[in-house]
Amino acid sequence: MPITVIMIGMLSIILLLSVNRLRERQRINSTLTEATMRIQINAATFHLWIEESFGGVKYEPQEVGKVLTGVDQAIDLADFVRSGGRDSGEGLISASQDDLELR
């Protein structure tokens, strides 16, 4: 009977550690996803703004500054995702992306 209790205890500790590791990976992946979506939104806004300006739409200087700030934020977020280890505004990105598919 004592060996069964010890085995169940060891299995529960292993389960607890694996759940903790899964939670941490999920947090990192959700932070990367949020940062990537923010990059896409800022890049799409800038792209649409460029298309409209080539089409002859005139913008106020405040709007131009706002769009250019969005592009700067997208570039900064891309650097955060690539290099890691810094606060992206969306959360802490703790590790650099070494996986070529994710880069």
Side-chain angles (χ1 to χ4, degrees):
M1 187 66 161
I3 205 91
T4 307
V5 173
I6 290 173
M7 292 297 288
I8 291 174
M10 289 175 62
L11 286 174
S12 65
I13 289 172
I14 291 170
L15 180 64
L16 180 67
L17 292 175
S18 64
V19 166
N20 188 34
R21 184 172 178 198
L22 258 156
R23 183 189 58 83
E24 183 64 23
R25 299 239 348 135
Q26 185 176 14
R27 185 193 63 80
I28 290 171
N29 287 339
S30 67
T31 303
L32 291 173
T33 301
E34 287 290 324
T36 303
M37 286 191 329
R38 182 74 55 200
I39 291 169
Q40 290 175 345
I41 289 170
N42 288 341
T45 302
F46 182 71
H47 178 73
L48 291 173
W49 180 81
I50 290 291
E51 281 185 1
E52 288 179 353
S53 66
F54 283 145
V57 177
K58 301 293 182 193
Y59 286 101
E60 296 295 320
Q62 301 93 332
E63 293 178 34
V64 174
K66 186 177 173 182
V67 171
L68 291 177
T69 302
V71 171
D72 290 338
Q73 289 173 352
I75 292 170
D76 290 341
L77 274 174
D79 288 338
F80 289 145
V81 169
R82 183 182 50 81
S83 61
R86 293 182 271 179
D87 189 8
S88 67
E90 304 293 326
L92 183 67
I93 299 174
S94 59
S96 64
Q97 287 302 313
D98 296 330
D99 188 4
L100 292 178
E101 290 181 14
L102 293 177
R103 280 187 112 173

XYZ file of all heavy atoms in Angstrom:
799
model
N 0.805 -1.206 0.000
C 0.000 0.000 0.000
C 0.852 1.276 0.000
O 0.533 2.200 -0.720
C -0.934 -0.049 1.210
C -1.921 1.064 1.214
S -3.017 0.853 -0.177
C -4.342 1.838 0.317
N 1.949 1.358 0.794
C 2.744 2.584 0.781
C 3.380 2.860 -0.584
O 3.524 4.020 -0.987
C 3.827 2.348 1.828
C 3.355 1.225 2.659
C 2.401 0.440 1.814
N 3.743 1.816 -1.305
C 4.355 2.025 -2.619
C 3.346 2.632 -3.588
O 3.701 3.456 -4.435
C 4.965 0.706 -3.150
C 6.093 1.004 -4.147
C 4.009 -0.095 -3.943
C 7.390 1.089 -3.546
N 2.080 2.267 -3.460
C 1.031 2.838 -4.301
C 0.848 4.320 -4.014
O 0.721 5.135 -4.930
C -0.303 2.088 -4.065
O -0.097 0.692 -4.245
C -1.366 2.585 -5.005
N 0.860 4.699 -2.756
C 0.726 6.112 -2.372
C 1.909 6.920 -2.900
O 1.744 8.036 -3.413
C 0.596 6.235 -0.831
C 0.637 7.685 -0.395
C -0.676 5.567 -0.353
N 3.105 6.358 -2.803
C 4.296 7.051 -3.303
C 4.215 7.211 -4.819
O 4.538 8.279 -5.360
C 5.569 6.295 -2.881
C 5.768 6.426 -1.371
C 6.785 6.826 -3.624
C 6.898 5.586 -0.822
N 3.779 6.174 -5.525
C 3.654 6.254 -6.990
C 2.614 7.297 -7.398
O 2.837 8.070 -8.337
C 3.287 4.875 -7.564
C 4.394 3.845 -7.437
S 5.857 4.298 -8.358
C 5.282 4.025 -10.002
N 1.483 7.307 -6.733
C 0.446 8.301 -7.049
C 0.961 9.703 -6.754
O 0.716 10.649 -7.515
C -0.854 7.988 -6.280
C -1.492 6.713 -6.832
C -1.838 9.147 -6.362
C -2.696 6.227 -6.055
N 1.694 9.873 -5.668
C 2.293 11.174 -5.342
C 3.276 11.633 -6.398
O 3.290 12.798 -6.803
N 4.119 10.724 -6.868
C 5.080 11.069 -7.912
C 4.375 11.425 -9.216
O 4.758 12.384 -9.901
C 6.063 9.910 -8.115
C 7.034 9.744 -6.963
S 8.099 8.302 -7.111
C 8.987 8.666 -8.597
N 3.339 10.676 -9.566
C 2.585 10.982 -10.785
C 1.890 12.332 -10.684
O 1.830 13.087 -11.665
C 1.575 9.880 -11.076
C 2.146 8.576 -11.612
C 1.048 7.514 -11.721
C 2.815 8.795 -12.942
N 1.384 12.669 -9.507
C 0.717 13.963 -9.358
C 1.708 15.110 -9.459
O 1.406 16.167 -10.021
C -0.053 14.021 -8.038
O 0.832 13.953 -6.945
N 2.918 14.924 -8.955
C 3.952 15.963 -9.077
C 4.357 16.132 -10.535
O 4.508 17.254 -11.034
C 5.163 15.615 -8.194
C 4.785 15.783 -6.726
C 6.359 16.504 -8.535
C 5.842 15.285 -5.757
N 4.514 15.034 -11.250
C 4.848 15.101 -12.674
C 3.741 15.808 -13.445
O 4.000 16.654 -14.308
C 5.118 13.689 -13.233
C 6.413 13.140 -12.657
C 5.172 13.710 -14.759
C 6.659 11.684 -12.957
N 2.498 15.506 -13.125
C 1.367 16.154 -13.780
C 1.341 17.643 -13.484
O 1.116 18.465 -14.383
C 0.058 15.498 -13.332
C -1.226 16.061 -13.922
C -1.235 15.839 -15.426
C -2.429 15.422 -13.270
N 1.608 18.023 -12.247
C 1.633 19.435 -11.870
C 2.719 20.189 -12.627
O 2.491 21.295 -13.141
C 1.844 19.557 -10.366
C 1.888 20.970 -9.812
C 0.523 21.629 -9.954
C 2.343 20.960 -8.374
N 3.898 19.601 -12.738
C 4.993 20.251 -13.456
C 4.694 20.375 -14.954
O 5.004 21.398 -15.571
C 6.291 19.478 -13.237
C 6.852 19.534 -11.808
C 8.070 18.627 -11.692
C 7.189 20.952 -11.429
N 4.093 19.350 -15.535
C 3.779 19.425 -16.969
C 2.679 20.443 -17.244
O 2.734 21.155 -18.255
C 3.410 18.050 -17.508
O 2.229 17.587 -16.899
N 1.703 20.570 -16.359
C 0.655 21.575 -16.533
C 1.241 22.982 -16.408
O 0.889 23.889 -17.170
C -0.486 21.351 -15.517
C -1.408 22.554 -15.432
C -1.274 20.109 -15.881
N 2.171 23.155 -15.475
C 2.815 24.459 -15.317
C 3.614 24.828 -16.565
O 3.582 25.970 -17.027
C 3.719 24.447 -14.085
C 4.258 25.820 -13.769
O 3.589 26.816 -13.977
N 5.477 25.852 -13.264
N 4.333 23.872 -17.133
C 5.102 24.131 -18.355
C 4.177 24.457 -19.532
O 4.452 25.356 -20.320
C 5.962 22.926 -18.688
C 6.842 23.186 -19.871
C 7.822 22.093 -20.103
N 8.582 22.424 -21.306
C 9.272 21.557 -21.970
N 9.341 20.317 -21.574
N 9.913 21.927 -23.055
N 3.077 23.724 -19.635
C 2.097 24.001 -20.687
C 1.511 25.404 -20.556
O 1.348 26.125 -21.548
C 0.961 22.983 -20.624
C 1.025 21.876 -21.645
C 0.262 20.676 -21.157
C 0.454 22.364 -22.932
N 1.194 25.811 -19.329
C 0.637 27.140 -19.087
C 1.622 28.232 -19.499
O 1.252 29.217 -20.130
C 0.273 27.281 -17.610
C -0.388 28.607 -17.269
C -0.515 28.790 -15.765
N 0.765 28.740 -15.077
C 1.598 29.779 -14.968
N 1.289 30.924 -15.508
N 2.737 29.650 -14.319
N 2.885 28.030 -19.177
C 3.898 29.025 -19.532
C 4.075 29.129 -21.046
O 4.164 30.214 -21.602
C 5.224 28.660 -18.861
C 6.328 29.648 -19.108
C 6.054 31.016 -18.525
O 5.248 31.135 -17.588
O 6.635 31.989 -19.038
N 4.092 27.995 -21.728
C 4.215 28.021 -23.197
C 3.005 28.678 -23.833
O 3.125 29.401 -24.816
C 4.400 26.606 -23.736
C 5.632 25.942 -23.224
C 6.661 25.476 -24.152
N 6.364 25.430 -25.537
C 7.213 25.887 -26.450
N 8.335 26.437 -26.080
N 6.937 25.786 -27.711
N 1.835 28.432 -23.271
C 0.623 29.044 -23.797
C 0.652 30.563 -23.601
O 0.238 31.313 -24.474
C -0.607 28.449 -23.121
C -1.904 28.941 -23.706
C -3.099 28.260 -23.066
O -2.991 27.621 -22.036
N -4.240 28.414 -23.696
N 1.170 31.023 -22.478
C 1.285 32.466 -22.236
C 2.233 33.107 -23.249
O 1.926 34.149 -23.825
C 1.777 32.737 -20.821
C 1.803 34.233 -20.487
C 2.587 34.510 -19.229
N 3.985 34.164 -19.315
C 4.919 34.920 -19.909
N 4.584 36.052 -20.492
N 6.175 34.544 -19.936
N 3.358 32.464 -23.496
C 4.322 33.000 -24.460
C 3.706 33.024 -25.863
O 3.826 34.021 -26.586
C 5.621 32.180 -24.436
C 6.363 32.422 -23.133
C 6.509 32.508 -25.622
C 7.538 31.499 -22.910
N 3.044 31.949 -26.249
C 2.437 31.897 -27.578
C 1.325 32.928 -27.732
O 1.181 33.536 -28.796
C 1.902 30.501 -27.865
C 3.008 29.515 -28.133
O 4.116 29.887 -28.487
N 2.720 28.239 -27.945
N 0.525 33.147 -26.697
C -0.540 34.147 -26.811
C 0.038 35.550 -26.896
O -0.479 36.400 -27.623
C -1.513 34.029 -25.641
O -0.897 34.383 -24.425
N 1.143 35.807 -26.199
C 1.798 37.112 -26.294
C 2.349 37.336 -27.687
O 2.206 38.424 -28.260
C 2.929 37.203 -25.257
O 2.391 36.965 -23.963
C 3.575 38.565 -25.268
N 2.967 36.304 -28.253
C 3.481 36.423 -29.621
C 2.355 36.628 -30.623
O 2.484 37.409 -31.576
C 4.299 35.184 -29.991
C 5.624 35.018 -29.275
C 6.247 33.672 -29.614
C 6.558 36.150 -29.637
N 1.229 35.958 -30.413
C 0.085 36.106 -31.308
C -0.475 37.522 -31.237
O -0.781 38.126 -32.264
C -1.007 35.080 -30.953
O -0.456 33.775 -31.059
C -2.191 35.197 -31.877
N -0.597 38.063 -30.028
C -1.092 39.427 -29.868
C -0.166 40.432 -30.539
O -0.620 41.357 -31.219
C -1.230 39.768 -28.380
C -2.382 39.101 -27.701
C -3.720 39.656 -28.170
O -3.830 40.866 -28.434
O -4.652 38.851 -28.278
N 1.139 40.255 -30.359
C 2.095 41.167 -30.984
C 2.044 41.065 -32.504
O 2.084 42.083 -33.206
C 3.509 40.867 -30.478
N 1.907 39.867 -33.025
C 1.824 39.675 -34.475
C 0.553 40.304 -35.041
O 0.587 40.933 -36.106
C 1.874 38.174 -34.810
O 3.069 37.623 -34.257
C 1.870 37.948 -36.300
N -0.555 40.152 -34.345
C -1.792 40.781 -34.823
C -1.666 42.301 -34.817
O -2.132 42.972 -35.739
C -2.977 40.333 -33.958
C -3.402 38.923 -34.249
S -4.965 38.362 -33.524
C -5.116 39.242 -32.022
N -1.023 42.861 -33.796
C -0.829 44.314 -33.739
C 0.059 44.779 -34.891
O -0.193 45.813 -35.504
C -0.234 44.689 -32.394
C -0.029 46.135 -32.172
C -1.283 46.900 -31.921
N -2.008 46.309 -30.815
C -3.293 46.510 -30.604
N -3.969 47.290 -31.420
N -3.912 45.957 -29.613
N 1.081 43.996 -35.232
C 1.940 44.330 -36.378
C 1.122 44.339 -37.657
O 1.232 45.259 -38.479
C 3.114 43.324 -36.486
C 4.086 43.503 -35.333
C 3.836 43.474 -37.820
C 5.103 42.383 -35.220
N 0.285 43.337 -37.853
C -0.527 43.247 -39.064
C -1.515 44.404 -39.159
O -1.711 44.964 -40.252
C -1.274 41.918 -39.095
C -0.376 40.733 -39.334
C -1.128 39.416 -39.243
O -2.240 39.345 -38.737
N -0.491 38.359 -39.725
N -2.127 44.781 -38.050
C -3.085 45.892 -38.062
C -2.384 47.186 -38.435
O -2.867 47.951 -39.285
C -3.792 46.008 -36.698
C -4.751 44.846 -36.505
C -4.525 47.341 -36.571
C -5.304 44.733 -35.099
N -1.235 47.463 -37.809
C -0.511 48.704 -38.106
C -0.002 48.728 -39.542
O -0.071 49.770 -40.213
C 0.646 48.883 -37.132
C 0.184 49.236 -35.739
O -0.942 49.693 -35.540
N 1.025 49.009 -34.765
N 0.481 47.601 -40.040
C 0.975 47.547 -41.420
C -0.175 47.710 -42.417
O -0.029 48.406 -43.431
C 1.710 46.238 -41.670
N -1.326 47.102 -42.137
C -2.475 47.234 -43.036
C -3.001 48.663 -43.056
O -3.364 49.187 -44.112
C -3.584 46.275 -42.620
N -3.022 49.312 -41.896
C -3.459 50.711 -41.831
C -2.542 51.595 -42.662
O -3.002 52.451 -43.431
C -3.477 51.191 -40.369
O -4.348 50.352 -39.627
C -3.936 52.620 -40.264
N -1.244 51.391 -42.528
C -0.289 52.176 -43.304
C -0.448 51.906 -44.794
O -0.422 52.834 -45.605
C 1.141 51.855 -42.856
C 2.186 52.655 -43.579
C 2.325 54.005 -43.326
C 3.012 52.065 -44.514
C 3.282 54.749 -43.989
C 3.970 52.797 -45.186
C 4.107 54.147 -44.918
N -0.653 50.649 -45.154
C -0.821 50.291 -46.562
C -2.065 50.968 -47.152
O -2.009 51.530 -48.254
C -0.913 48.778 -46.697
C -1.143 48.313 -48.100
N -0.164 48.358 -49.068
C -2.246 47.809 -48.704
C -0.652 47.900 -50.206
N -1.910 47.548 -50.014
N -3.163 50.924 -46.433
C -4.383 51.574 -46.919
C -4.207 53.083 -47.012
O -4.710 53.719 -47.947
C -5.566 51.228 -46.010
C -6.021 49.775 -46.078
C -7.081 49.523 -45.007
C -6.556 49.433 -47.448
N -3.514 53.662 -46.054
C -3.275 55.098 -46.076
C -2.451 55.482 -47.302
O -2.740 56.471 -47.977
C -2.557 55.500 -44.794
C -2.265 56.954 -44.720
C -3.112 57.951 -44.353
C -1.024 57.581 -45.029
N -2.472 59.151 -44.423
C -1.186 58.961 -44.829
C 0.210 57.102 -45.451
C -0.161 59.865 -45.031
C 1.231 58.009 -45.660
C 1.034 59.382 -45.450
N -1.417 54.688 -47.629
C -0.582 54.955 -48.813
C -1.421 54.845 -50.087
O -1.318 55.689 -50.988
C 0.616 53.977 -48.859
C 1.608 54.305 -47.761
C 1.300 53.973 -50.206
C 2.346 55.609 -47.958
N -2.267 53.800 -50.178
C -3.107 53.647 -51.361
C -4.044 54.831 -51.546
O -4.227 55.327 -52.664
C -3.925 52.356 -51.269
C -3.153 51.113 -51.614
C -4.039 49.877 -51.636
O -5.262 49.996 -51.404
O -3.500 48.799 -51.892
N -4.641 55.293 -50.455
C -5.553 56.426 -50.559
C -4.812 57.712 -50.901
O -5.323 58.547 -51.643
C -6.337 56.593 -49.256
C -7.382 55.522 -49.060
C -8.125 55.692 -47.750
O -7.740 56.552 -46.929
O -9.087 54.941 -47.538
N -3.604 57.885 -50.376
C -2.857 59.102 -50.690
C -2.433 59.117 -52.150
O -2.389 60.166 -52.782
C -1.653 59.254 -49.763
O -0.722 58.237 -50.004
N -2.120 57.953 -52.729
C -1.817 57.894 -54.156
C -3.066 58.142 -54.994
O -2.984 58.591 -56.131
C -1.206 56.547 -54.543
C 0.233 56.404 -54.157
C 0.727 55.179 -53.757
C 1.098 57.479 -54.193
C 2.057 55.030 -53.401
C 2.423 57.343 -53.840
C 2.903 56.116 -53.440
N -4.220 57.843 -54.425
C -5.489 58.076 -55.116
C -5.945 59.526 -55.082
O -6.955 59.872 -55.674
N -5.228 60.364 -54.345
C -5.547 61.784 -54.335
C -6.247 62.263 -53.081
O -6.639 63.432 -53.010
N -6.411 61.443 -52.086
C -7.049 61.862 -50.839
C -6.050 62.685 -50.039
O -4.898 62.301 -49.870
C -7.518 60.636 -50.015
C -8.101 61.057 -48.701
C -8.508 59.821 -50.820
N -6.481 63.853 -49.569
C -5.620 64.729 -48.765
C -5.886 64.471 -47.280
O -7.022 64.344 -46.854
C -5.905 66.197 -49.087
C -5.686 66.554 -50.535
C -4.239 66.448 -50.884
C -4.044 66.864 -52.336
N -2.777 66.533 -52.863
N -4.821 64.397 -46.510
C -4.932 64.119 -45.084
C -4.431 65.296 -44.273
O -3.571 66.059 -44.707
C -4.118 62.878 -44.710
C -4.749 61.592 -45.159
C -4.301 60.931 -46.292
C -5.799 61.054 -44.442
C -4.895 59.758 -46.694
C -6.392 59.876 -44.845
C -5.936 59.232 -45.966
O -6.527 58.072 -46.370
N -4.941 65.410 -43.066
C -4.466 66.405 -42.106
C -3.121 65.927 -41.549
O -2.870 64.729 -41.458
C -5.471 66.548 -40.965
C -6.822 67.074 -41.398
C -6.742 68.499 -41.912
O -5.992 69.315 -41.328
O -7.414 68.789 -42.904
N -2.260 66.850 -41.149
C -0.954 66.445 -40.591
C -1.066 65.558 -39.352
O -0.223 64.690 -39.138
C -0.292 67.775 -40.248
C -0.933 68.773 -41.142
C -2.342 68.298 -41.344
N -2.129 65.752 -38.545
C -2.295 64.919 -37.350
C -2.523 63.464 -37.750
O -2.024 62.544 -37.097
C -3.481 65.377 -36.483
C -3.371 66.791 -36.004
C -4.072 67.765 -36.953
O -4.194 67.532 -38.139
N -4.521 68.881 -36.409
N -3.313 63.245 -38.805
C -3.593 61.889 -39.260
C -2.327 61.227 -39.801
O -2.097 60.040 -39.576
C -4.682 61.897 -40.320
C -6.037 62.317 -39.815
C -7.071 62.365 -40.923
O -6.984 61.536 -41.845
O -7.954 63.230 -40.850
N -1.523 62.001 -40.525
C -0.269 61.464 -41.069
C 0.653 61.043 -39.930
O 1.233 59.953 -39.954
C 0.420 62.505 -41.985
C 1.789 62.009 -42.419
C -0.447 62.811 -43.187
N 0.769 61.887 -38.919
C 1.612 61.556 -37.765
C 1.122 60.319 -37.036
O 1.920 59.491 -36.583
N -0.197 60.179 -36.930
C -0.771 59.020 -36.245
C -0.456 57.727 -36.999
O -0.090 56.713 -36.396
C -2.280 59.215 -36.134
C -2.992 58.175 -35.338
C -4.473 58.528 -35.242
C -5.261 57.429 -34.605
N -6.693 57.727 -34.548
N -0.569 57.761 -38.322
C -0.285 56.572 -39.133
C 1.203 56.236 -39.083
O 1.576 55.066 -38.954
C -0.765 56.777 -40.580
C -0.277 55.661 -41.477
C -2.276 56.864 -40.627
N 2.065 57.252 -39.154
C 3.501 57.004 -39.096
C 3.919 56.468 -37.727
O 4.821 55.640 -37.633
C 4.273 58.274 -39.450
C 4.150 58.713 -40.912
C 4.893 60.019 -41.136
C 4.638 57.646 -41.852
N 3.258 56.919 -36.674
C 3.514 56.369 -35.343
C 3.135 54.895 -35.290
O 3.834 54.085 -34.675
C 2.722 57.153 -34.274
O 3.091 58.529 -34.346
C 2.997 56.630 -32.886
N 2.031 54.542 -35.957
C 1.617 53.140 -36.022
C 2.642 52.271 -36.722
O 2.889 51.127 -36.317
N 3.257 52.803 -37.775
C 4.292 52.048 -38.489
C 5.519 51.865 -37.593
O 6.103 50.780 -37.548
C 4.676 52.756 -39.805
C 5.889 52.122 -40.438
C 3.517 52.725 -40.761
N 5.889 52.914 -36.872
C 7.018 52.791 -35.944
C 6.737 51.739 -34.867
O 7.614 50.963 -34.502
C 7.328 54.134 -35.291
C 7.913 55.134 -36.267
O 8.463 54.703 -37.307
O 7.813 56.353 -35.999
N 5.507 51.716 -34.376
C 5.137 50.715 -33.379
C 5.205 49.306 -33.969
O 5.628 48.370 -33.293
C 3.738 50.986 -32.840
C 3.651 52.198 -31.953
C 2.211 52.524 -31.568
O 1.276 51.929 -32.079
N 2.067 53.480 -30.671
N 4.774 49.156 -35.216
C 4.838 47.840 -35.868
C 6.281 47.377 -36.011
O 6.592 46.203 -35.773
C 4.156 47.897 -37.237
N 7.170 48.279 -36.369
C 8.589 47.928 -36.500
C 9.170 47.548 -35.143
O 9.905 46.558 -35.020
C 9.373 49.084 -37.149
C 8.934 49.253 -38.608
C 10.879 48.859 -37.050
C 9.457 50.502 -39.267
N 8.833 48.321 -34.101
C 9.315 47.999 -32.757
C 8.800 46.645 -32.284
O 9.543 45.851 -31.703
C 8.899 49.080 -31.755
C 9.640 50.384 -31.969
O 10.707 50.363 -32.627
O 9.151 51.419 -31.481
N 7.514 46.367 -32.529
C 6.956 45.077 -32.133
C 7.624 43.920 -32.876
O 7.875 42.867 -32.299
C 5.449 45.047 -32.390
C 4.576 45.611 -31.287
C 3.127 45.656 -31.742
C 4.703 44.806 -30.034
N 7.926 44.132 -34.164
C 8.622 43.089 -34.929
C 10.006 42.819 -34.337
O 10.439 41.670 -34.250
C 8.727 43.490 -36.394
N 10.694 43.880 -33.898
C 11.989 43.694 -33.238
C 11.839 42.953 -31.920
O 12.654 42.100 -31.575
C 12.674 45.036 -33.003
C 13.201 45.654 -34.281
O 13.412 44.897 -35.255
O 13.399 46.883 -34.306
N 10.785 43.285 -31.162
C 10.552 42.598 -29.893
C 10.311 41.114 -30.117
O 10.832 40.275 -29.404
C 9.351 43.185 -29.159
C 9.586 44.558 -28.602
C 8.556 45.475 -28.578
C 10.811 44.943 -28.096
C 8.743 46.742 -28.071
C 11.021 46.202 -27.588
C 9.982 47.109 -27.567
N 9.509 40.784 -31.113
C 9.195 39.384 -31.386
C 10.447 38.646 -31.854
O 10.695 37.512 -31.445
C 8.066 39.272 -32.435
C 7.920 37.852 -32.933
C 6.745 39.760 -31.840
N 11.240 39.297 -32.679
C 12.438 38.655 -33.215
C 13.505 38.464 -32.153
O 14.082 37.387 -32.021
C 13.002 39.480 -34.367
C 14.207 38.860 -35.029
C 14.762 39.724 -36.139
N 14.984 41.099 -35.755
C 16.051 41.528 -35.084
N 16.968 40.686 -34.704
N 16.194 42.802 -34.781
N 13.768 39.502 -31.355
C 14.891 39.418 -30.413
C 14.488 38.932 -29.029
O 15.295 38.337 -28.325
C 15.578 40.775 -30.300
O 14.660 41.740 -29.822
N 13.244 39.189 -28.609
C 12.755 38.689 -27.326
C 13.410 39.358 -26.139
O 14.283 40.214 -26.262
N 12.938 38.959 -24.957
C 13.539 39.428 -23.726
C 13.140 40.813 -23.290
O 13.707 41.342 -22.354
N 12.158 41.416 -23.942
C 11.754 42.769 -23.581
C 10.252 42.845 -23.466
O 9.529 41.960 -23.884
C 12.239 43.748 -24.642
C 13.740 43.850 -24.680
C 14.157 44.841 -25.687
N 14.290 44.115 -26.959
C 14.629 44.670 -28.086
N 14.862 45.935 -28.139
N 14.725 43.960 -29.179
N 9.786 43.966 -22.925
C 8.351 44.180 -22.788
C 7.842 44.819 -24.068
O 8.296 45.889 -24.464
C 8.061 45.086 -21.594
C 6.585 45.160 -21.291
O 5.813 44.402 -21.909
O 6.200 45.971 -20.445
N 6.885 44.167 -24.711
C 6.389 44.625 -25.997
C 5.180 45.545 -25.871
O 4.669 46.019 -26.865
C 5.989 43.426 -26.854
O 4.869 42.793 -26.279
N 4.695 45.773 -24.673
C 3.456 46.503 -24.504
C 2.268 45.565 -24.486
O 1.230 45.850 -23.942
N 2.420 44.418 -25.099
C 1.390 43.378 -25.105
C 1.671 42.370 -23.996
O 0.868 41.512 -23.717
C 1.375 42.633 -26.451
C 1.201 43.515 -27.647
C -0.161 44.150 -27.695
O -1.134 43.523 -27.270
O -0.242 45.290 -28.141
N 2.826 42.464 -23.408
C 3.261 41.508 -22.402
C 4.738 41.225 -22.614
O 5.327 41.677 -23.588
N 5.325 40.503 -21.711
C 6.745 40.212 -21.807
C 6.995 39.073 -22.787
O 6.399 38.015 -22.684
C 7.283 39.834 -20.425
C 8.780 39.573 -20.362
C 9.533 40.879 -20.619
C 9.154 39.023 -19.010
N 7.856 39.329 -23.760
C 8.290 38.277 -24.682
C 9.644 37.828 -24.162
O 10.627 38.543 -24.252
C 8.385 38.799 -26.128
C 7.016 39.263 -26.581
C 8.934 37.731 -27.045
C 7.005 39.932 -27.927
N 9.682 36.644 -23.588
C 10.844 36.254 -22.800
C 11.965 35.604 -23.599
O 13.086 35.572 -23.136
C 10.412 35.302 -21.688
O 9.808 34.169 -22.240
N 11.684 35.073 -24.760
C 12.729 34.370 -25.498
C 12.733 34.820 -26.950
O 11.695 35.144 -27.516
C 12.503 32.865 -25.431
N 13.913 34.846 -27.540
C 13.989 35.201 -28.954
C 13.467 34.034 -29.783
O 13.476 32.887 -29.360
C 15.428 35.524 -29.346
O 16.228 34.383 -29.206
N 13.029 34.359 -30.965
C 12.471 33.345 -31.851
C 13.579 32.718 -32.671
O 14.075 33.292 -33.630
C 11.420 33.976 -32.779
C 10.148 34.314 -32.098
C 9.523 33.081 -31.457
O 9.419 32.041 -32.073
N 9.138 33.215 -30.219
N 13.972 31.527 -32.260
C 15.001 30.789 -32.997
C 14.374 29.870 -34.038
O 15.040 29.437 -34.953
C 15.845 29.966 -32.036
C 16.615 30.858 -31.069
O 16.945 31.996 -31.458
O 16.871 30.416 -29.936
N 13.096 29.584 -33.884
C 12.384 28.711 -34.829
C 12.172 29.472 -36.136
O 11.535 30.528 -36.159
C 11.054 28.285 -34.228
C 10.349 27.234 -35.065
O 10.939 26.796 -36.072
O 9.226 26.869 -34.703
N 12.729 28.957 -37.225
C 12.654 29.669 -38.501
C 11.233 29.818 -39.010
O 10.913 30.801 -39.671
C 13.527 28.956 -39.541
C 15.020 29.027 -39.290
C 15.771 28.249 -40.352
C 15.485 30.454 -39.243
N 10.366 28.849 -38.727
C 8.974 28.951 -39.172
C 8.258 30.106 -38.499
O 7.438 30.771 -39.113
C 8.249 27.644 -38.916
C 8.696 26.507 -39.801
C 7.912 25.233 -39.520
O 6.871 25.300 -38.850
O 8.356 24.170 -39.964
N 8.555 30.360 -37.225
C 7.913 31.447 -36.511
C 8.529 32.789 -36.832
O 7.865 33.815 -36.732
C 7.985 31.197 -34.998
C 7.172 30.025 -34.493
C 7.376 29.846 -32.995
C 5.693 30.203 -34.795
N 9.800 32.808 -37.207
C 10.435 34.074 -37.548
C 9.875 34.585 -38.846
O 9.736 35.738 -39.077
C 11.938 33.917 -37.686
C 12.640 33.901 -36.347
C 14.088 33.906 -36.555
N 14.567 35.193 -36.068
C 15.818 35.495 -35.978
N 16.724 34.652 -36.358
N 16.194 36.645 -35.520
